[in-house]
Amino acid sequence: MNQLLEIRKNFLLIAFFLLTFGASSQSYQSDLDSIFSIMKTRDFQAAKSFALEAKSRNDKRAGSAWLIKSNLHLGYIYSREDDFVKAIITYLEGLRYSKEADYEGVQTDVSTLYYRCGLIFADFRAYSLAEEYYVKGLENAKLHNLSEIELNHKYVLAALFVDMERYEEAINLLSECVSNLKPTARLYFTLHHRLGLTYHQLEEFDKTISIYEKLINELPDDNWRAKGSYHHNLARSYRESKDYEKALANYKKAIEFKQLLGDEEKLFSSYYGTAETYFALKEYKKSENYFLKAENLIDSQPLHPEYFEIYKACAGLNYTLKNYEKSKHYEDLHTAKMNEYLKIQAEIQETDQRYNMELITKRYFAEVEKQERIASILMYSKLTSGGLLALLLIVIAHHRYQKVRLRKSIERELIALKIVD
C-alpha cells in the first residue's frame, strides 16, 4: 500500500513538472514571438524594452533555447540602434550558452550568431576576428548539413576577402559556390553578381562581361532592379575595355530599367558613366549634358570620393572646352568635398577607436573565464573538510580581489576608449 502511494506521489510530481515545463516553454516562445513581432514594426526601442523585461523574468529559469534565441534577437536590436558594444557582447553570450544546448534548430542559431558577430567585426575592420567567426559559422553549417546557411557564410567570407584584397581566394570561394547552382536557386544571382564585381576589380573584364551577359539572359523580365544593376556593370566593363558603343548601349538599358523603378538616386552612376563614355569619344556636348544630369543627383549619394570625383571630371571637361573659370569652380568644389570627407573620416576613426572590437572581445572572455574559475572553486569547496575549506575560502577571496582588479582594469580601458563615462 505504501509502495502504491509512493508511486502515485511520484507520478503526480512528474505530471506537475511536465505541465509546468510545457506552460513555461509556451510562455518563453510567446515572449520570443512578441519580440520578433515588435522588431518587424522597426520600433527597436519598444522591442528592446520588451526583450530586456522578458529576459529579467525568464533568464534564470529558462533553458538554453530561450537564452540563445533571446540574445540573438536582443543583439540584433542593439546593432540596429548602433550600440555595437552591447550587440557583440550579447551575441557572444548567446554563443556561450550554446555549448551545452541540444534543442531542435540550435545549430542554425549558432551559425547565425557567428554570422552576426562576423558582420560587426567586418564593419569595424577587425578583419582577423571577422574571418575567424565567419569560418566558425561556415564549419558549423557544413558539419550539420545546413546548406543554405553555408552559402550565406561563403558569400560574406568572399566579400571579406575582397575587402582584404585577397581576390583570388574570393574568386575560388565564389566559383565553388556557383558551380552546382541553378538559376532557380536562392543566392544564384547574388553570388554570380559578387563574382562579376570581383573580376572587375581584378580588371579581368572579359570574365565580368561573360558573367553579366549570362545573368541578364537568365533574369525574369520583371526584375527591373537587377536588370538595371547588371546592365550598368556590363556597361562599365565594356567602357574599361574601350568598347564604347556597347558601353553606351548598356548604360542606356540601365537608365531605362532604373527609370521604370522610379529610383532617381540610382540613376546617378549610369548618367556619370554615360558622360565619361561620351567624353572618351570626344562628344563633349553630350558628355556635358549627362554630367549635368548626374550632378543634379549628387546630394542623394553618400559622401565618398567615388561620387564627388565627378567634380574633377567636370573640371577636366570644361578645361578641354576652354571654360577655365568653370573648370576652376569644379576644382574648388572637389577640394571642398574632399576636405569635408577627410573631416568625417577622422571622426569615424575616433568611433572605431571607441569600439575596439578586439579589445572588447578579449576582455569579455577574460571576465567569463575568471567567473568560471571562481565557480569551480566554490563547487570544489563544498566537498572538502573544515581545514581545507578554510584554505579554499582564502583562495576564493584572492580570486574575488583579482576579479575586482580585472573589472577596474576593464573600466579604465573602456573609459580611455570613451565607451563608458
Side-chain angles (χ1 to χ4, degrees), residues 124-177:
F124 283 89
R125 296 187 286 280
Y127 291 137
S128 60
L129 280 173
E131 182 176 359
E132 177 188 340
Y133 278 77
Y134 284 154
V135 169
K136 283 179 178 178
L138 177 57
E139 289 173 347
N140 187 72
K142 283 182 177 177
L143 181 64
H144 298 282
N145 298 314
L146 303 171
S147 56
E148 293 290 311
I149 293 174
E150 184 181 333
L151 275 181
N152 287 341
H153 280 274
K154 285 180 177 178
Y155 175 76
V156 292
L157 187 57
L160 182 71
F161 287 154
V162 170
D163 286 346
M164 298 169 75
E165 298 183 359
R166 290 160 58 180
Y167 298 116
E168 292 301 329
E169 288 174 85
I171 286 170
N172 290 338
L173 190 57
L174 290 166
S175 298
E176 176 194 325
C177 288

Side-chain angles (χ1 to χ4, degrees), residues 302-396:
L303 187 71
H304 190 276
E306 179 183 342
Y307 296 95
F308 50 79
E309 279 290 297
I310 189 174
Y311 295 127
K312 279 189 76 172
C314 287
L317 172 65
N318 279 283
Y319 189 85
T320 301
L321 295 172
K322 296 184 170 38
N323 297 329
Y324 299 123
E325 285 190 23
K326 209 168 181 181
S327 177
K328 184 180 185 308
H329 165 74
Y330 280 113
E331 286 286 0
D332 291 344
L333 268 177
H334 180 261
T335 301
K337 286 291 184 182
M338 274 299 294
N339 288 337
E340 188 180 350
Y341 173 75
L342 291 172
K343 181 181 177 183
I344 289 174
Q345 285 301 108
E347 292 171 359
I348 289 171
Q349 286 177 4
E350 184 181 338
T351 302
D352 285 351
Q353 185 184 28
R354 285 175 54 223
Y355 294 123
N356 188 322
M357 291 299 164
E358 190 162 355
L359 173 66
I360 290 163
T361 306
K362 286 178 180 177
R363 288 302 182 186
Y364 166 81
F365 283 117
E367 178 69 10
V368 168
E369 186 182 1
K370 186 72 73 174
Q371 289 174 355
E372 289 177 348
R373 210 175 300 146
I374 293 166
S376 66
I377 294 170
L378 283 167
M379 183 182 71
Y380 178 60
S381 70
K382 294 174 184 176
L383 307 175
T384 59
S385 60
L388 187 55
L389 175 60
L391 178 61
L392 283 170
L393 288 173
I394 293 171
V395 174
I396 292 164

